[in-house]
Structures are given as structure tokens and as C-alpha cells.
Amino acid sequence: MSFSATTPEAPRPVLWRWIQFVLDAGAWTLAILVAVVLRYELTEQTLTPNGVAAFSLLAILCQAVVGFSMALYQGRYSFGSFEEARLLVSVTLIVATILVLLSTFLGFSLQIPRSTGVIAFPFAALFMAASRYAKRMWVESRQKPGRTPSRRSSTARASSARTS
């Protein structure tokens, strides 16, 4: 008997977790860009691309450290579940708090407003939740009734064992 996990389905969850991290990184980047544009009242003359890029990299780094330390990207909860949503909001709030503290000390050198982390938090949480929901809907749309083998319940196994 071989117990190796060489099935084509085995590496997929790990790949999905890394894809989810990349989507979360994109969510922070987009949220910070939206936050800076909204902070400057939709005028892009005061927008500094280098500052936005550096602040986005800080957000991605913080998301990686906090997300991996709190097991957000380790598959503890199923994608799109309420437990994952609760953990996602907690991680996003911690990252936003770190960003507010970083912008307080580094804001002038990065030319980023101190309120960027506060404004970006709800957008980042929304974009991350939306990507998880879209992923869950995509997976569920691919599962058709005849596609996956149904598992027999323990009651069905017990009744078939008695009749045999």
C-alpha cells in the first residue's frame, strides 16, 4: 500500500493558499491607492507613485507576517467560511493598525497621509472578502452532482454490513 499524496488534487490546496495571498496583496495595493486618491479628494496631482508603492509593499509584508502567524494562509478554515471571515477581519485590522503606526513615523518620508491605513482598511477587507467569495462561488459552480463520488454515511455502511 502506498500512502503518498501524488494525486492531482493534492497540491491544489497549497496553490490556492498562495493564490489567495497574492490576491490579498493585490487587495492591499488597490485599497491603498483608493485611500490615497480619496484622501486627496480625487486629485492625482498630489499622488506620489513611489510612496504608494513603498507603502503597499509595507502592507504586503505586514499581511504576510500577520497572516501566516495567525494561520490565515495555512488552510485552517474553508475558503469563504464565517470562521475565515472573522480571522480575515482580525488580520486586516492588525495590519491596518501597523500601517497607521508606520505612517505616523514614516509618512513624511514616503509622502503618504497618516490616515491612509484607516481609509484603506475597509476597502482592503472588502476586496479580500470579495476575492474569497468569488473563489468559493467558482469552486461551487464547478462541482456538479455527478462529478464527485458521494460518500456513504456510517448508517448506510452499517446497514449494508448487516445485510451481507
Side-chain angles (χ1 to χ4, degrees):
M1 278 185 134
S2 173
F3 292 106
S4 65
T6 58
T7 62
E9 294 294 316
R12 188 171 176 185
V14 174
L15 178 65
W16 273 114
R17 287 183 239 148
W18 281 104
I19 289 172
Q20 196 61 58
F21 172 71
V22 170
L23 289 173
D24 289 351
W28 268 114
T29 304
L30 184 60
I32 288 171
L33 183 64
V34 168
V36 170
V37 168
L38 288 177
R39 171 62 179 88
Y40 287 132
E41 298 177 358
L42 305 175
T43 59
E44 60 272 349
Q45 288 97 10
T46 54
L47 185 72
T48 56
N50 292 339
V52 170
F55 201 65
S56 296
L57 287 176
L58 285 172
I60 292 168
L61 178 68
C62 291
Q63 180 74 22
V65 169
V66 176
F68 281 108
S69 68
M70 293 182 71
L72 180 64
Y73 303 112
Q74 295 174 0
R76 179 187 293 178
Y77 304 115
S78 63
F79 286 111
S81 66
F82 287 115
E83 292 84 10
E84 188 193 31
R86 183 177 52 225
L87 181 62
L88 177 69
V89 170
S90 299
V91 168
T92 310
L93 186 61
I94 291 169
V95 171
T97 305
I98 293 169
L99 290 178
V100 168
L101 293 174
L102 286 174
S103 66
T104 302
F105 298 113
L106 301 175
F108 291 116
S109 62
L110 293 176
Q111 297 176 346
I112 292 286
R114 287 179 287 178
S115 62
T116 303
V118 175
I119 299 170
F121 163 68
F123 289 107
L126 176 72
F127 297 152
M128 288 183 219
S131 70
R132 281 166 170 76
Y133 183 73
K135 186 260 180 194
R136 184 176 177 137
M137 291 294 104
W138 182 76
V139 168
E140 287 180 1
S141 72
R142 293 182 47 98
Q143 292 178 347
K144 295 181 181 164
R147 232 180 187 177
T148 58
S150 62
R151 295 185 184 138
R152 291 175 27 180
S153 67
S154 60
T155 309
R157 277 185 263 144
S159 67
S160 68
R162 281 184 280 186
T163 59
S164 302

